[in-house]
Amino acid sequence: MSWRFLTSGESHGRGLLVIVDGLPSGLTITRDHLTDLLARRRRGFGRGSRMALEGDELTLWGGVRGGVTTGGPVGISVGNSEWEKWSPVMDPWTLTAEGEEMKTLSAPRPGHADLAGGIKFDHKDMRNVLERASARTTAPRTLAGALAARVLEELGVTVRSAVESIGGVFASLPETEEEWRHAVASDMGIAREEDASALKERITSAAAEGNSLGGTFVLSVTGLPAGIGTFTEWDGRLDGKLAQGILSVPGIKGVEFGLGFKSADHPGRLVHDGISVEEGRWTRKTNRCGGIEGGMTTGGDVLIRAAMKPIPTMKQGLPSYDTRVGKASPAHSERSDVCAVPAACVVAEAMTAWIVGSAVAEQFGSDRMKDLMERFRAYSREAERWNIHD
Ligand SMILES: Cc1cc2nc3c(=O)[nH]c(=O)nc-3n(C[C@H](O)[C@H](O)[C@H](O)COP(=O)(O)O)c2cc1C
């Protein structure tokens, strides 16, 4: 069965909900694992005050008994710990008054979904758009990605991310296992702690100017055999699916695999990765393609870079037009992050795990975890040495 998930909920609502369908039975899930990942999504210097205010309260609705998946749809909600305080004015059944957190949005913010979404659904109060387009709604899909990552972990597949730059200031990329671990654990998502101060200074000075920043990050997937994904139809290509998953994270504007855009500047001999056989295994000495050829994995690490635009909400709103008073006006402003790159890469990591996990499940079947492991391992063993004559 192929995997799917749907989410529901809004930024300042009672909570957010995800239903994940298709996961195998027999997978161990712990609350701590999911809570830790959601906590990583809230990380980073330059986040808004909301990150400190709101806890993520998880409730399991189904699909897991005794900490193990049953094969049924897994339902999890993420409660909003602030909601009770707002509830008299925030109850969606009775919502009439304007609460502090629910001011009418009549001056749309450039860079956000506000205006196009207002036009599309005829919402005169564009808060109806903001509430669902908000990055807070990435929490439930981070959970879906966490479940996928658990499946992948059992298969020996690891998905990780590291921040590369913020507002044009660069950090070193991870080169060793220890640096990858640091990137995953660190508040700034970087490989080496000594780079943190330059990035934080960049964020502090942007905040002082009332400005915001974007940046770049990298993602890596290790442990996949050759041949995951397919070349046979356009919508089965793994690179296409990954690009969609990562670009679906709010604010992500570019994705590249391996050399990516730079590959367009170099001749073929400096771009493609020669094939050899060493110690009876298929080998590449380089991985400029980023681990994907013909829409399928090559057996090397999948290497992706993504770019995030600066946060669109700013203290001094950008030029806009207020529909309530019918004249030019600065865009609506509210509590906001100055930079969310270290958090965005956690969401992108989750989407990457989801896409890779779905592709693996599609290829090997995913009713039972133990069968999936057996088939995946047998295939991986064969793929390494496939058709090599000693
Ligand atoms: C983790 C995360 C946190 C974000 N925090 C904010 C924020 O506090 N304020 C804001 O205006 N945009 C924030 N954004 C970015 C916007 O959601 C994004 O720029 C906006 O939805 C429009 O992007 P799009 O054109 O790619 O949809 C955040 C994005 C992510 C991934």
Side-chain angles (χ1 to χ4, degrees):
M1 187 198 232
S2 53
W3 291 2
R4 57 189 171 159
F5 76 81
L6 275 179
T7 71
S8 173
E10 280 102 36
S11 181
H12 294 90
R14 180 190 287 272
L16 295 137
L17 172 69
V18 63
I19 298 179
V20 184
D21 192 28
L23 292 176
S25 65
L27 178 73
T28 312
I29 310 283
T30 68
R31 189 204 301 260
D32 286 354
H33 175 77
L34 300 179
T35 312
D36 288 353
L37 201 78
L38 284 185
R40 272 183 75 218
R41 196 197 69 89
R42 299 150 69 80
R43 72 182 179 177
F45 187 78
R47 305 299 308 278
S49 53
R50 208 176 159 192
M51 289 304 113
L53 281 176
E54 287 165 26
D56 294 314
E57 298 167 347
L58 296 186
T59 307
L60 199 47
W61 291 87
V64 178
R65 299 201 73 214
V68 182
T69 54
T70 61
V74 177
I76 307 177
S77 61
V78 189
N80 185 343
S81 57
E82 292 293 283
W83 193 80
E84 288 298 330
K85 284 189 216 158
W86 309 325
S87 55
V89 287
M90 301 291 273
D91 188 337
W93 295 110
T94 54
L95 186 68
T96 48
E98 278 195 21
E100 177 52 25
E101 303 298 330
M102 274 297 204
K103 277 181 259 160
T104 299
L105 200 166
S106 52
R109 297 160 304 163
H112 263 296
D114 304 349
L115 179 57
I119 294 168
K120 178 179 174 68
F121 289 118
D122 192 21
H123 288 310
K124 310 282 186 297
D125 178 2
M126 286 167 272
R127 171 149 307 265
N128 288 334
V129 179
L130 176 159
E131 283 295 315
R132 180 64 186 161
S134 159
R136 171 96 186 129
T137 63
T138 59
R141 55 174 150 141
T142 302
L143 285 177
L147 297 172
R150 269 293 299 126
V151 173
L152 293 173
E153 193 183 343
E154 295 291 323
L155 304 176
V157 177
T158 307
V159 182
R160 292 189 283 205
S161 63
V163 169
E164 183 191 38
S165 72
I166 286 177
V169 174
F170 280 73
S172 313
L173 286 178
E175 283 170 6
T176 61
E177 184 56 29
E178 196 187 327
E179 288 182 342
W180 270 114
R181 275 205 291 272
H182 188 277
V184 169
S186 94
D187 188 41
M188 292 299 287
I190 49 177
R192 299 184 197 167
E193 201 48 43
E194 66 253 31
D195 292 333
S197 56
L199 300 187
K200 287 181 181 176
E201 271 167 38
R202 182 78 182 96
I203 295 170
T204 305
S205 69
E209 293 162 6
N211 226 328
S212 63
L213 297 172
T216 57
F217 57 87
V218 294
L219 296 151
S220 109
V221 188
T222 59
L224 288 171
I228 304 297
T230 185
F231 61 96
T232 55
E233 291 289 356
W234 70 272
D235 55 355
R237 292 182 61 103
L238 188 65
D239 44 5
K241 288 181 174 181
L242 282 165
Q244 194 207 354
I246 297 163
L247 284 169
S248 76
V249 179
I252 304 302
K253 293 297 126 193
V255 173
E256 62 178 18
F257 294 84
L259 277 185
F261 275 75
K262 286 204 184 81
S263 64
D265 302 337
H266 300 298
R269 280 186 193 286
L270 296 181
V271 170
H272 301 297
D273 305 297
I275 296 172
S276 55
V277 171
E278 272 172 30
E279 293 171 12
R281 289 186 169 85
W282 293 106
T283 312
R284 311 286 182 116
K285 291 204 168 59
T286 55
N287 183 13
R288 297 161 180 146
C289 68
I292 300 195
E293 284 175 338
M296 295 164 293
T297 50
T298 60
D301 296 349
V302 175
L303 301 172
I304 307 168
R305 175 178 280 105
M308 183 179 195
K309 70 182 181 182
I311 297 288
T313 309
M314 279 171 255
K315 259 192 211 150
Q316 291 297 316
L318 291 168
S320 184
Y321 178 91
D322 192 329
T323 54
R324 205 159 44 165
V325 288
K327 61 175 188 186
S329 157
H332 170 96
S333 180
E334 61 179 50
R335 279 189 311 200
S336 174
D337 301 330
V338 172
C339 171
V341 178
C345 69
V346 175
V347 184
E349 203 182 288
M351 290 309 297
T352 301
W354 176 262
I355 300 292
V356 170
S358 309
V360 166
E362 205 172 305
Q363 214 150 317
F364 300 99
S366 74
D367 276 352
R368 303 155 163 209
M369 195 61 222
K370 64 177 183 181
D371 293 348
L372 172 56
M373 280 160 73
E374 209 170 286
R375 288 187 209 120
F376 181 82
R377 284 182 188 151
Y379 174 88
S380 300
R381 274 196 303 275
E382 192 203 332
E384 271 188 343
R385 296 170 184 275
W386 172 80
N387 214 21
I388 294 171
H389 305 288
D390 293 324

